[in-house]
Amino acid sequence: MILYILKGKDHSSLKEKLKSSSASFKFLNLYGKELALAWPDSAVEGITDESVELVVKTKKSYILAGNEWKKDPTVVKVKDVEIGSKRVVVAAGPCAVESMEQTETVAKAVKRAGASLLRGGAYKPRTSPYSFQGLGEEGLKILRKAGDETGLPVVSEILDARDAGAFAKYADMVQIGARNSQNFTLLRDVGKLGKPVLLKRGLGNTVEELIQSAEYVMMEGNGNVVLCERGIRTFEKSTRFTLDIGGMVAGKLMTHLPFCADPSHPAGKRELVHSLALASVAAGADMLLVEVHPRPEVALSDSEQQLTPESFELLMERVKALASVLGRSA
Ligand code: PEP
Ligand code: MN
């Protein structure tokens, strides 16, 4: 594919040239820049125009998410929270929104401890159809209310584009979970929604595949994507998933997008969560996504890995101490 960085307002003559070629193309605006994408290379060969400021080519399988055209790291804003800057942003909250009381309790606790975003699943992607599936739209409303009461922007996972209206109304950031990481129609639909996106890596996906998934979102003109390392399936059984810290470090060099690490799902047990979180921050994570429940032992999902509010408070102290050693903050 070829990326044209455009100048001026009138791009009609380039559009005409692309129309009369056999290329596929798309005009979009990202980070305040007017762009045109065209592919495959063989169909675009030699096409240029007065409105083109710069032509960017790549041998990679993605271009918008790559750093050939955009060298500066992208900072994703969720309300007034900036992800991808000096500050390590922590999103915390329950695996699943279970009730108003549970969500309010945990929201207050994580806010007090220093979290900047409230997480909580309303639509849960459960392996078994007999497991708790989440409260659906009611869960989103509860999360929104708890977020408003504490002043924390909220992030929640979308499973189905038919719920886009509810996410537009109640969520500040839309999560695409590991199991939908390569649901390409959902990626495009969430791109169109225009909200910041937290895009998780699929259990069996490479980092390059994760970045290509981000490309689907970005092609819709939405550059506010945070990539999330949440562990992959390997032969190792001592943890629930293998947190690929090396993959995250390598990924940060492949893209200008910020990276989040989720220490909870790869840990599978709460005893491991602090160490995985701290290792992720040491390795350069821009954000952490941590599961916290007021009473993890009775949680309706991921009971073993959710932290108590007290344990989360201690984790925040540790994250802040580590961040300051690294010349960052939390
Ligand atoms: C989650 O964060 O609630 C979740 C379901 O995570 P994942 O998609 O990484 O399994
Ligand atoms: Mn969970």
Side-chain angles (χ1 to χ4, degrees), residues 1-318:
M1 72 301 277
I2 282 178
L3 181 65
Y4 297 98
I5 300 176
L6 307 174
K7 57 188 174 194
K9 289 252 176 292
D10 182 12
H11 308 132
S12 55
S13 103
L14 176 64
K15 200 170 268 176
E16 285 311 313
K17 288 176 191 167
L18 288 168
K19 264 188 194 161
S20 58
S21 78
S22 60
S24 298
F25 63 90
K26 180 146 189 148
F27 284 75
L28 67 157
N29 183 296
L30 270 185
Y31 313 114
K33 284 214 153 62
E34 295 292 331
L35 308 170
L37 268 171
W39 68 97
D41 288 7
S42 57
V44 191
E45 202 60 59
I47 297 181
T48 188
D49 190 76
E50 274 188 350
S51 65
V52 174
E53 191 172 293
L54 194 68
V55 179
V56 183
K57 295 182 181 176
T58 186
K59 291 203 160 49
K60 292 182 185 154
S61 49
Y62 53 89
I63 193 160
L64 299 173
N67 36 31
E68 278 131 337
W69 75 285
K70 188 175 189 294
K71 314 267 179 238
D72 59 312
T74 291
V75 176
V76 173
K77 275 192 85 171
V78 182
K79 294 267 198 70
D80 56 353
V81 178
E82 294 190 339
I83 303 159
S85 66
K86 247 179 94 167
R87 177 143 187 255
V88 181
V89 168
V90 180
C95 176
V97 173
E98 297 170 4
S99 69
M100 190 70 238
E101 198 209 345
Q102 169 240 19
T103 309
E104 267 175 344
T105 307
V106 81
K108 284 180 195 150
V110 301
K111 166 82 182 188
R112 205 179 318 117
S116 314
L117 296 168
L118 177 64
R119 67 142 285 150
Y123 300 86
K124 295 304 300 176
R126 305 306 300 281
T127 302
S128 165
Y130 306 109
S131 302
F132 176 59
Q133 302 286 305
L135 299 180
E137 187 164 343
E138 187 53 32
L140 278 183
K141 288 183 191 167
I142 291 174
L143 190 70
R144 172 81 270 153
K145 186 155 184 279
D148 288 343
E149 284 169 5
T150 48
L152 295 172
V154 300
V155 52
S156 197
E157 177 175 352
I158 189 167
L159 292 187
D160 189 326
R162 285 172 288 191
D163 301 317
F167 281 82
K169 202 161 161 194
Y170 302 117
D172 299 307
M173 185 179 213
V174 179
Q175 180 172 320
I176 295 181
R179 287 150 192 89
N180 274 313
S181 195
Q182 286 193 309
N183 182 339
F184 303 121
T185 50
L186 182 65
L187 291 166
R188 287 192 202 272
D189 286 335
V190 169
K192 289 190 188 97
L193 191 58
K195 298 254 179 182
V197 177
L198 181 62
L199 174 59
K200 289 196 159 193
R201 179 179 179 185
L203 318 187
N205 288 140
T206 63
V207 172
E208 191 180 354
E209 285 164 346
L210 171 64
I211 298 173
Q212 289 173 86
S213 290
E215 191 87 359
Y216 272 93
V217 177
M218 297 175 80
M219 271 182 90
E220 301 303 326
N222 184 349
N224 295 316
V225 183
V226 179
L227 304 172
C228 182
E229 169 56 38
R230 51 79 69 209
I232 49 174
R233 270 261 150 82
T234 70
F235 53 81
E236 182 51 57
K237 290 199 256 182
S238 59
T239 54
R240 187 177 176 196
F241 298 99
T242 298
L243 182 66
D244 185 9
I245 291 197
M248 180 182 71
V249 175
K252 278 187 70 77
L253 301 178
M254 293 157 72
T255 173
H256 53 83
L257 298 172
F259 254 92
C260 172
D262 167 352
S264 301
H265 290 88
K269 5 184 200 301
R270 71 188 119 264
E271 293 73 24
L272 305 179
V273 170
H274 281 213
S275 299
L276 297 188
L278 294 170
S280 303
V281 173
D286 300 288
M287 174 180 170
L288 291 175
L289 183 71
V290 184
E291 288 189 342
V292 185
H293 193 287
R295 288 175 64 208
E297 69 283 3
V298 296
L300 298 179
S301 57
D302 288 348
S303 160
E304 302 285 307
Q305 74 198 25
Q306 300 203 59
L307 297 183
T308 60
E310 297 72 36
S311 173
F312 178 69
E313 202 179 324
L314 178 60
L315 174 60
M316 280 305 300
E317 281 172 27
R318 290 176 164 164

